[in-house]
């Protein structure tokens, strides 16, 4: 007897119920391509070094001797850029979690902005008197200033063991200062003031960020701090420098050069956000040391600033003390053991390449030593006109 249509449908449903159920395998979405942390490190070092060398070139080599005006321009550029990013992108969405009120802004943000502004003004004034290499050596004392100011401000209890740990930094910088050939007292005091103001600012920021309600990344911090800093610097610039600035001096630098300078300074703050999120405290500490060392050599090559062997010796002590203070003995011992193990494995796997690295490092050390003790008459001399001429030669006009 032929099966009816209903029987056929019923049979197919029963077969489907008895059929084995195959497991459903979800295909994972391809991971988003991310850059290697070394890219963020190289970007931060490049931008940080570029800002310092760029400012020195404009203020000294191009003879635009108005550091407060330049700092005001940087902060105004940062204010406009962060406002645009907040309005048209999601980069600054982190500000929405910050419970910022008018009272908090006046009591916390404004004081931090004032000390930030003072540190920038003093720091840029220093470029008029001291070499970039010596400035970087003096900046190594910042951890000491932060520690001492935290005691004075009552943020931390005095700890003389920590003070002993950072004493190597002070000793190293003192030795480097004795070795400085072009020592200018007013430049030294400007840099000392900049370090003190920066230390106070860092302690105020630490006190603010100790509350979970005010956690913010460096770019969000710039969003809040830049306007007050630009306003304060602008007032100082109007009284102190603007009456002396001529348009011929502005055009001598070039509007395009000013734009690139401001953009570089702003991109540095953006790179810091990505660097913090992609690296460890060890990497950031070592990056800072590497950047400072590279700036010393860049200053020697670009401007012919002499660096004596005594300065190299003192600066090495200061940098070693800074790394020890930031990481601690236990962490350094662990990193050293791990590094020794990996270096031994690398030597076993690639002995020839290891010999090349050792030989190249020894050769570089010999070159550095002989360069540091060479007479200053043999050091290259570069002027603002020669550098500006080179820029004209590659097509970037400054007029």
């Amino acid at each position: 007897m032929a099966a009816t249509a209903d029987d056929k449908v019923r049979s197919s449903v029963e077969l489907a119920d008895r059929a084995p159920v195959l497991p459903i395998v979800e295909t994972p979405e391809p991971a988003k391509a991310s850059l290697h942390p070394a890219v963020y490190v190289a970007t931060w070092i490049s931008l940080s070094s570029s800002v310092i060398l760029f400012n020195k070139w404009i203020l000294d080599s191009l003879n635009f001797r108005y550091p407060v005006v330049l700092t005001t321009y940087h902060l105004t550029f940062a204010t406009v850029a962060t406002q645009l990013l907040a309005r048209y992108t999601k980069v600054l969405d982190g500000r929405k979690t910050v419970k910022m009120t008018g009272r908090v802004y006046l009591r916390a943000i404004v004081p931090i902005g004032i000390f930030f502004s003072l540190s920038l003004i003093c720091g840029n004034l220093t470029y008029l008197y001291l070499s970039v290499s010596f400035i970087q050596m003096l900046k190594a004392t910042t951890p000491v200033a932060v520690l001492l100011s935290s005691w004075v401000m009552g943020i931390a209890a005095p700890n003389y063991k920590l003070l002993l740990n950072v004493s190597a930094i002070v000793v190293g910088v003192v030795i480097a200062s004795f070795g400085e050939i072009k020592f200018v007292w007013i430049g030294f005091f400007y840099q000392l003031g900049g370090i003190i103001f920066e230390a106070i600012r860092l302690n105020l920021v630490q006190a603010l960020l100790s509350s979970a309600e005010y956690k913010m990344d460096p770019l969000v911090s710039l969003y809040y701090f830049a306007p007050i800093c630009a306003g304060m610097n602008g007032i100082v610039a109007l009284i102190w420098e603007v009456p002396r600035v001529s348009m011929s001096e502005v055009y001598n630098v070039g509007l395009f050069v000013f734009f690139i300078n401001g953009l570089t300074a702003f991109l540095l703050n953006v790179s810091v956000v990505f660097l913090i999120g992609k690296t460890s405290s060890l990497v950031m500490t070592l990056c800072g040391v590497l950047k400072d060392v590279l700036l010393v050599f860049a200053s020697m090559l670009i401007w012919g600033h002499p660096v004596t062997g005594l300065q190299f010796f003192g600066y090495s002590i200061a940098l070693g003390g800074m790394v020890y203070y930031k990481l601690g003995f236990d962490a350094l011992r662990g990193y050293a053991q791990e590094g020794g193990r990996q270096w031994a494995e690398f030597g076993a796997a690639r002995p020839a390449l290891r010999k090349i690295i050792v030989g190249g490092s020894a050769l570089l050390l010999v070159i550095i030593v002989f360069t540091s003790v060479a007479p200053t008459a043999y050091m290259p001399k570069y002027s603002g006109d020669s550098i500006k001429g080179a820029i004209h030669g590659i097509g970037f006009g400054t007029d």
Side-chain angles (χ1 to χ4, degrees), residues 291-329:
K291 181 209 71 174
D292 292 341
V293 172
L294 291 176
L295 279 171
V296 171
F297 285 107
S299 174
M300 294 171 60
L301 293 174
I302 298 174
W303 288 283
H305 293 155
V307 178
T308 63
L310 185 60
Q311 282 185 291
F312 271 120
F313 176 69
Y315 192 40
S316 300
I317 295 175
L319 291 179
M322 183 172 64
V323 172
Y324 179 81
Y325 169 69
K326 290 188 175 183
L327 299 180
F329 176 76

Side-chain angles (χ1 to χ4, degrees), residues 37-376:
V39 175
Y40 298 102
V41 170
T43 301
W44 178 79
I45 291 178
S46 300
L47 289 172
S48 182
S49 303
S50 298
V51 169
I52 293 173
L53 297 175
F54 212 158
N55 290 347
K56 174 68 174 178
W57 178 56
I58 291 175
L59 294 171
D60 192 12
S61 299
L62 295 184
N63 206 33
F64 186 80
R65 305 182 75 80
Y66 307 105
V68 183
V69 171
L70 185 64
T71 306
T72 303
Y73 163 66
H74 286 168
L75 293 167
T76 304
F77 191 106
T79 300
V80 174
T82 50
Q83 292 295 327
L84 291 174
L85 288 176
R87 182 178 293 271
Y88 298 109
T89 71
K90 296 182 179 180
V91 176
L92 285 165
D93 282 356
R95 75 187 192 283
K96 297 177 180 178
T97 62
V98 179
K99 297 181 179 180
M100 187 62 61
T101 63
R103 183 181 179 184
V104 172
Y105 193 87
L106 289 175
R107 295 184 59 182
I109 301 299
V110 171
I112 292 173
I114 290 174
F115 283 105
F116 187 26
S117 180
L118 290 172
S119 69
L120 291 174
I121 290 174
C122 290
N124 277 341
L125 281 169
T126 308
Y127 291 120
L128 301 178
Y129 304 97
L130 301 179
S131 65
V132 172
S133 55
F134 188 44
I135 290 171
Q136 294 308 120
M137 295 178 190
L138 293 177
K139 284 182 178 180
T141 58
T142 300
V144 182
V146 172
L147 179 65
L148 295 178
S149 60
S150 68
W151 297 352
V152 174
M153 298 168 66
I155 295 175
N159 186 329
Y160 295 103
K161 183 179 179 181
L162 284 178
L163 184 61
L164 183 63
N165 289 344
V166 300
S167 61
I169 301 175
V170 178
V171 171
V173 172
V174 169
I175 294 174
S177 299
F178 277 115
E180 173 64 16
I181 296 174
K182 298 179 180 179
F183 187 93
V184 181
W185 277 107
I186 187 172
F188 174 79
F189 283 121
Y190 274 134
Q191 184 58 53
L192 184 62
I195 291 172
I196 293 173
F197 292 137
E198 176 67 6
I200 296 173
R201 182 190 75 87
L202 291 174
N203 280 309
L204 291 175
V205 170
Q206 181 182 356
L208 176 66
L209 298 184
S210 61
S211 173
E213 297 178 351
Y214 304 110
K215 294 289 183 182
M216 58 184 85
D217 62 53
L219 200 56
V220 174
S221 300
L222 189 66
Y223 171 83
Y224 288 114
F225 297 140
I228 182 64
C229 292
M232 180 180 173
N233 278 32
I235 294 172
V236 175
L238 285 172
I239 298 173
W240 194 359
E241 293 182 348
V242 170
R244 297 184 286 115
V245 179
S246 65
M247 290 307 299
S248 62
E249 291 174 304
V250 174
Y251 290 133
N252 179 58
V253 177
L255 298 180
F256 179 72
V257 172
F258 274 122
F259 172 76
I260 296 299
N261 179 245
L263 180 63
T264 305
F266 176 71
L267 290 177
L268 171 60
N269 290 284
V270 177
S271 69
V272 171
V273 178
F274 292 100
L275 182 69
I276 291 174
K278 299 293 182 179
T279 58
S280 63
S281 59
L282 170 67
V283 173
M284 292 189 66
T285 299
L286 296 180
C287 285
V289 172
L290 177 60
K291 181 209 71 174
D292 292 341
V293 172
L294 291 176
L295 279 171
V296 171
F297 285 107
S299 174
M300 294 171 60
L301 293 174
I302 298 174
W303 288 283
H305 293 155
V307 178
T308 63
L310 185 60
Q311 282 185 291
F312 271 120
F313 176 69
Y315 192 40
S316 300
I317 295 175
L319 291 179
M322 183 172 64
V323 172
Y324 179 81
Y325 169 69
K326 290 188 175 183
L327 299 180
F329 176 76
D330 293 336
L332 285 176
R333 182 175 60 182
Y335 290 129
Q337 292 174 348
E338 178 64 19
R341 185 184 64 80
Q342 292 189 6
W343 177 248
E345 292 178 355
F346 177 78
R350 299 182 179 180
L353 183 57
R354 177 175 172 172
K355 292 179 180 179
I356 293 174
I357 293 174
V358 172
S361 301
L363 178 61
L364 179 61
L365 179 62
V366 171
I367 293 173
I368 291 173
V369 171
F370 277 97
T371 302
S372 65
V373 299
T376 57

Side-chain angles (χ1 to χ4, degrees), residues 21-40:
V21 179
L22 298 177
I24 300 175
V25 180
E26 295 183 358
T27 305
E29 295 182 0
K32 295 182 179 179
S34 60
L35 298 175
H36 193 276
V39 175
Y40 298 102

Side-chain angles (χ1 to χ4, degrees), residues 375-390:
T376 57
Y378 294 97
M379 292 187 176
K381 301 293 183 182
Y382 297 94
S383 64
D385 292 337
S386 64
I387 298 175
K388 190 176 178 182

